[in-house]
Amino acid sequence: MSDLQREQAQRRAERIAAFRAELAELHREQVLQLSTEQEQGLTAYHEQLLAHYRQTLDIDADARARQLSLGMRLASLVGALALAAGLFFLFYQFWGLFDAGVQVAVLLGSSLGSLLLCFWLQARDASGYYAKLAAVLAFVCFVLNLSMLGQIFNITPSDKALLPWGALALLLAYQCRQRLLLVIALLCFGLFLAARLNDWTGLYWWSLDDRPENFLPAALLFVLPQFIDQTRRIGFAACYRVVGLLYLFGPVLILSYWGQGSYLDWPPRWVEAFYQTLGFVLAGLVIWLGVRRGWAEVVNTGLGFALVLLFSKLFDWWWELLPRYLFFLLLGLIALLLLVMLQRWRRGGAA
């Protein structure tokens, strides 16, 4: 079963529900009247189709099932995070009671056992909730494995640990259709790239905040879904785009206030003015691209960044000059102006 098949079946079920509601409304308004045989045949066909989808693809066939499915996803996420935190503190609570050999055996056994458990559940759990929970747990065990083995054998911390962490998170994300682990993998790869650039420029690899521009190359994650097809994994392309935009907008926002951290050999105020202007231009381009391509997550990310940058600059310019009531009134008026602009933009797009 692929995510694409499940998503198509889920959309078909939603269209059936909408069709039934519209058919009932047309019947009440006496616009369309079906014979008893037609109604029974249509109902039987839809019930058979929905039953097949429920059994084979585990879809949410009605509003109640969708509500319960949302609760199950939240429970799965909270449970995974809670179990991971519990495992982390359990290790640190009793770690000093074991000798080095037992510690190594426990670390290797927990990592391998949790990984095998994840694959076993993934093969038997059609819904995917338990497999996703086990995938997060397996990733946490692996992170603890490498970090605590480094402490046992007194290995100097290195940014290279980010590569196997990211690789395992990526593997588990695609195997178990877990978007959270995909985001973690992309963050690991972006941090590794920034740390390598730090090291190549003569800085300590962990001083990631010294040169925010080192994160900018990781913004290329945004274009990966254009070259690597993600249609069989629903929501994965959106994760690539959002994480790529975060690696783009984050350094721009920081450097718009802290020009000393830039590689540009300009006065800090010029650097800040440059990145402020660049931030608004990039936000506008991203919103335009998102609207043009129908990428809602890109539009929302670009709009969110534009609002953060705009209101932070308004705070810098007016907070000390204006009375508090006038400052907030102006913010409200600007928000209303943005609302009117976006509404007209939406109507123009619909037209």
Side-chain angles (χ1 to χ4, degrees), residues 158-314:
S158 171
D159 59 320
K160 296 180 178 62
L162 292 167
L163 276 182
W165 291 348
L168 180 64
L170 192 67
L171 169 66
L172 292 173
Y174 277 89
Q175 182 68 25
C176 300
R177 307 185 300 276
Q178 174 61 285
R179 282 174 285 187
L180 173 62
L181 287 176
L182 176 63
V183 171
I184 292 174
L186 299 180
L187 292 177
C188 286
F189 293 142
L191 288 173
F192 174 76
L193 180 58
R196 285 291 85 203
L197 291 175
N198 259 15
D199 185 69
W200 294 336
T201 54
L203 299 173
Y204 180 55
W205 69 269
W206 191 237
S207 302
L208 298 175
D209 56 343
D210 288 346
R211 295 293 184 184
E213 287 163 328
N214 286 340
F215 287 98
L216 290 176
L220 293 174
L221 291 171
F222 181 88
V223 301
L224 274 184
Q226 302 302 114
F227 301 100
I228 304 176
D229 185 28
Q230 303 293 325
T231 54
R232 295 179 61 83
R233 294 290 185 269
I234 303 300
F236 276 37
C239 292
Y240 279 97
R241 297 187 190 108
V242 171
V243 174
L245 289 177
L246 292 179
Y247 278 126
L248 174 65
F249 287 148
V252 171
L253 182 62
I254 293 172
L255 292 171
S256 66
Y257 284 92
W258 184 51
Q260 294 90 338
S262 174
Y263 285 111
L264 298 175
D265 190 17
W266 298 347
R269 299 193 64 175
W270 290 15
V271 174
E272 293 169 5
F274 169 74
Y275 276 103
Q276 290 166 16
T277 306
L278 180 63
F280 286 113
V281 172
L282 288 176
L285 291 174
V286 165
I287 294 172
W288 171 82
L289 179 63
V291 171
R292 183 180 177 85
R293 293 295 185 92
W295 295 336
E297 71 283 350
V298 173
V299 175
N300 293 334
T301 305
L303 186 58
F305 172 75
L307 291 176
V308 169
L309 187 58
L310 174 61
F311 287 121
S312 62
K313 296 315 299 178
L314 293 178

Side-chain angles (χ1 to χ4, degrees), residues 12-13 16 43-54 59:
R12 180 79 181 273
I16 291 173
T43 301
Y45 171 73
H46 282 162
E47 290 297 333
Q48 182 181 6
L49 184 63
L50 292 175
H52 171 70
Y53 286 157
R54 280 194 296 264
I59 66 164

Side-chain angles (χ1 to χ4, degrees), residues 126-147:
S127 66
Y129 297 114
Y130 298 102
K132 291 176 182 178
L133 190 152
V136 175
L137 190 62
F139 175 74
V140 172
C141 288
F142 185 67
V143 171
L144 285 173
N145 188 350
L146 289 187
S147 60

